[in-house]
Amino acid sequence: MTQKIRKESRAMDSEWVLEIMHKAPYITVSMTDSDGLAYGLPLSLASEDNENWYFHGALEGKKLEAIKAHPEVCLSAVTTCAPTVGPKDGSFTLQYKSAIAFGKAVIVEDDAEKIQALRIICERFLPKHMDAFDTSIARSLARTAVVRITLTEPPTGKRKQYDKNGDEMKYGRME
């Protein structure tokens, strides 16, 4: 399922999109639950290779049941979201930077991969506290679930942003 961007003039390249995913404080993971209903929640994801994204949580719950039933997921990330008045035409609009990706989620069973995934997550969100990582892992690994989402196609993204002259920066143009 390739994502089609309606306003191609706002599309950005995949390197830019991955940067958005790495900078987003959380990424919304949307899935289908075991009853066939939509289910999405913001989670703290991290990746070291841009293809496999990890999050952690409890050993049981709705998200794990949904992943077991329907492993296909959609990721959505936003790093900038600023309501504004269009500088040239006075329109009410929104400046934003967003990314979307599709992937397949699996619950990680291998302890070595779980530890590496948790290290990636901790290095992203708590880099100044890595000295406590080994102690934390020893205490909590057995009661922690880790999910790997492998992207199934290149992520896509777009932005709406004005330059200092009030012109919208289109076609991937950077300042």
Side-chain angles (χ1 to χ4, degrees):
M1 165 193 253
T2 300
Q3 169 74 15
K4 176 78 171 130
I5 295 177
R6 187 178 65 83
K7 286 215 170 186
E8 287 291 331
S9 65
R10 293 188 178 141
M12 300 297 286
D13 66 30
S14 61
E15 184 177 318
W16 182 92
V17 175
L18 287 165
E19 184 178 325
I20 295 302
M21 292 175 69
H22 282 286
K23 287 183 177 179
Y26 60 86
I27 296 175
T28 299
V29 179
S30 299
M31 56 194 87
T32 306
D33 73 12
S34 57
D35 294 325
L37 300 173
Y39 181 62
L41 61 165
L43 297 168
S44 299
L45 274 73
S47 174
E48 67 178 355
D49 66 4
N50 294 330
E51 181 182 354
N52 296 295
W53 292 79
Y54 293 96
F55 68 86
H56 75 292
L59 290 173
E60 57 186 44
K62 186 169 182 168
K63 66 180 166 281
L64 296 184
E65 293 305 315
I67 288 166
K68 289 175 189 173
H70 303 282
E72 298 79 17
V73 299
C74 178
L75 309 178
S76 174
V78 177
T79 58
T80 300
C81 186
T84 190
V85 175
K88 300 266 180 168
D89 63 5
S91 62
F92 290 13
T93 189
L94 191 65
Q95 292 190 85
Y96 59 86
K97 295 177 182 178
S98 64
I100 190 167
F102 296 92
K104 186 171 183 178
V106 296
I107 300 165
V108 176
E109 301 294 341
D110 177 69
D111 280 352
E113 184 180 0
K114 282 176 70 172
I115 292 168
Q116 180 60 19
L118 292 166
R119 183 178 309 281
I120 293 165
I121 293 167
C122 289
E123 286 173 344
R124 176 171 182 212
F125 293 101
L126 293 166
K128 294 179 180 177
H129 300 280
M130 292 307 293
D131 56 329
F133 180 78
D134 292 331
T135 303
S136 180
I137 289 299
R139 186 178 64 248
S140 63
L141 185 65
R143 62 175 192 250
T144 302
V146 172
V147 174
R148 175 184 0 99
I149 298 171
T150 302
L151 300 188
T152 54
E153 60 186 72
T156 60
K158 61 183 184 173
R159 62 132 190 233
K160 184 172 189 180
Q161 185 175 343
Y162 295 101
D163 65 16
K164 63 183 179 232
N165 298 319
D167 295 317
E168 185 177 344
M169 297 191 307
K170 296 190 176 188
Y171 308 109
R173 190 183 114 215
M174 304 306 275
E175 278 274 278

